[in-house]
Amino acid sequence: MEDNADLRFERGDQTPERFKRQFSRLVGMTAAQARKVAGDALDGVGARRYHYMVLASLAEFGPASQAALADRSGVFRSDLVAVLNELVADGYIQRGPDPADKRRNVITMTEAGERRVIELDRILDGVNEKVLAPLTKAERGELFSLLGRVNAHLAREDFAR
Amino acid sequence: MEDNADLRFERGDQTPERFKRQFSRLVGMTAAQARKVAGDALDGVGARRYHYMVLASLAEFGPASQAALADRSGVFRSDLVAVLNELVADGYIQRGPDPADKRRNVITMTEAGERRVIELDRILDGVNEKVLAPLTKAERGELFSLLGRVNAHLAREDFAR
DNA sequence: CGAATGTCAGCACTACTGAAATCG
DNA sequence: CCGATTTCAGTATTGCTGACATTC
């Protein structure tokens, strides 16, 4: 690997050298920190990542059954139940039976839900801006491209899930 | 499962907002997948990330008290206790009282622990290779550099905690 | 005394498994 | 009967908080 950068992956300066060579560790650490920043930001408005994933999926793809929503959002069907309960209680979504298939529920966003998604989007955009601050626009594009290829590779192969 | 998803783009036009949103999801997904591959690989030999973090820290910096080891490895002191119990039971480390300070324990690696670290290093190197397969050597260097800068940025600032 | 240390109990979030009940 | 869907119960890992007794 080209050693053109003096990498520091953890706070402090006592990081084992071996960590620097492991991609999974690096992405993991970066993501963990970014995730925490995002999590704290969401927590500030009483939301969790699961809430955002579900609301974002609904905003992007429209109403869906819970099974379809689970597939789209990446939240497990079993976990989705509780998340939807909370979102219903907060008035962000509605859950009603599907007249075409009585096994299913149809999940739809409310007006408040639409506003909530926009609010959470703004918050996460701010987090992204903060996290990516040291990179230029071109570098962000480059990072996006590289990560995209790795991600597509991981999704294509049967590595996980 | 029918995936007759009609796409709706509420906030209509393709703004930088959307790009940023996709970016955050991309980083998150890539990290989650990479983490899972690594986790599964470690699980295959009966290890967890916590075990590796602790053993790697010990290998790199030598014997330490639990408080120091917690700071170095990133594992919380309260969680470290159980991790060390397991590593002791597996014969990878030894835990003894510090004669110089009776509050402290001194954690040292055994011969088996040294071998274990090498084993886990090899496994994670394999994961690294597998995950980064689609990228050239130069691209990996670029990716490491970019992620490293973001990570250093996050560590330097006091975003999280 | 105040501070550090190891330990324990417990919580929250994410991720995942298994099974029951209902319906197609 | 087989399969899909929703739901509940439970588990594991990681991350983190609070408390306690012991020792410095």
Side-chain angles (χ1 to χ4, degrees):
Chain A
M1 144 169 83
E2 290 76 4
D3 204 12
N4 50 2
D6 191 14
L7 305 181
R8 291 285 180 269
F9 297 155
E10 293 180 290
R11 49 171 185 266
D13 42 29
Q14 299 185 321
T15 304
E17 297 296 320
R18 59 169 51 82
F19 284 177
K20 299 182 179 180
R21 301 195 315 272
Q22 257 121 34
F23 178 73
S24 58
R25 174 106 182 135
L26 174 57
V27 204
M29 301 223 59
T30 308
Q33 294 179 85
R35 213 182 70 226
K36 187 166 194 335
V37 179
D40 288 349
L42 288 177
D43 192 60
V45 293
R48 287 179 294 147
R49 252 180 312 283
Y50 271 11
H51 296 168
Y52 176 71
M53 293 185 217
V54 169
L55 288 178
S57 278
L58 278 175
E60 193 164 359
F61 299 110
S65 71
Q66 294 186 193
L69 189 54
D71 290 344
R72 291 171 184 171
S73 66
V75 178
F76 266 66
R77 289 180 196 189
S78 48
D79 298 319
L80 191 57
V81 177
V83 174
L84 293 183
N85 287 343
E86 293 161 8
L87 291 176
V88 166
D90 291 339
Y92 297 139
I93 63 167
Q94 277 184 332
R95 171 159 47 183
D98 187 339
D101 188 335
K102 288 183 179 174
R103 294 171 303 180
R104 296 179 179 172
N105 290 328
V106 178
I107 311 298
T108 52
M109 275 215 294
T110 63
E111 294 277 328
E114 306 271 3
R115 289 192 300 272
R116 181 65 159 178
V117 161
I118 294 172
E119 179 194 5
L120 298 185
D121 270 340
R122 287 219 185 97
I123 288 175
L124 292 180
D125 284 346
V127 168
N128 273 326
E129 186 55 41
K130 224 170 142 190
V131 166
L132 293 180
L135 301 188
T136 67
K137 237 178 176 54
E139 287 169 337
R140 297 181 194 190
E142 176 69 11
L143 179 54
F144 181 86
S145 168
L146 292 172
L147 279 181
R149 285 166 59 197
V150 171
N151 192 64
H153 169 65
L154 290 177
R156 205 162 40 236
E157 310 285 331
D158 217 350
F159 285 117
R161 246 181 243 207
Chain B
M1 274 48 78
E2 62 297 319
D3 230 45
N4 43 353
D6 56 324
L7 303 181
R8 318 178 185 174
F9 296 110
E10 248 79 16
R11 291 158 296 285
D13 39 78
Q14 281 74 8
T15 60
E17 317 283 312
R18 180 164 179 78
F19 176 81
K20 283 190 262 184
R21 223 172 300 126
Q22 285 193 344
F23 181 86
S24 71
R25 283 203 215 170
L26 178 61
V27 181
M29 271 193 293
T30 308
Q33 289 177 351
R35 222 181 63 231
K36 190 174 190 326
V37 177
D40 287 349
L42 289 177
D43 191 61
V45 294
R48 286 178 294 147
R49 265 183 302 281
Y50 271 10
H51 295 168
Y52 176 70
M53 293 185 216
V54 169
L55 287 178
S57 280
L58 277 175
E60 191 77 14
F61 300 110
S65 70
Q66 295 186 194
L69 190 53
D71 289 343
R72 290 172 184 173
S73 65
V75 178
F76 267 66
R77 267 182 262 182
S78 48
D79 298 319
L80 191 59
V81 177
V83 174
L84 294 183
N85 288 342
E86 293 162 8
L87 291 176
V88 165
D90 291 339
Y92 296 139
I93 63 167
Q94 277 184 332
R95 172 160 45 184
D98 186 340
D101 188 336
K102 287 183 180 174
R103 294 173 303 178
R104 297 180 180 171
N105 290 328
V106 177
I107 312 299
T108 52
M109 275 216 294
T110 63
E111 295 275 330
E114 306 270 4
R115 290 193 298 273
R116 181 65 160 178
V117 160
I118 293 173
E119 179 193 6
L120 299 184
D121 269 339
R122 289 220 183 97
I123 287 175
L124 291 180
D125 281 346
V127 167
N128 195 23
E129 183 56 39
K130 213 172 151 190
V131 166
L132 291 181
L135 300 188
T136 68
K137 218 171 179 63
E139 287 168 338
R140 298 182 193 191
E142 178 68 11
L143 179 54
F144 270 71
S145 173
L146 292 172
L147 281 180
R149 283 166 59 198
V150 170
N151 197 69
H153 169 66
L154 290 177
R156 208 159 35 232
E157 311 285 330
D158 223 346
F159 286 117
R161 205 64 350 160

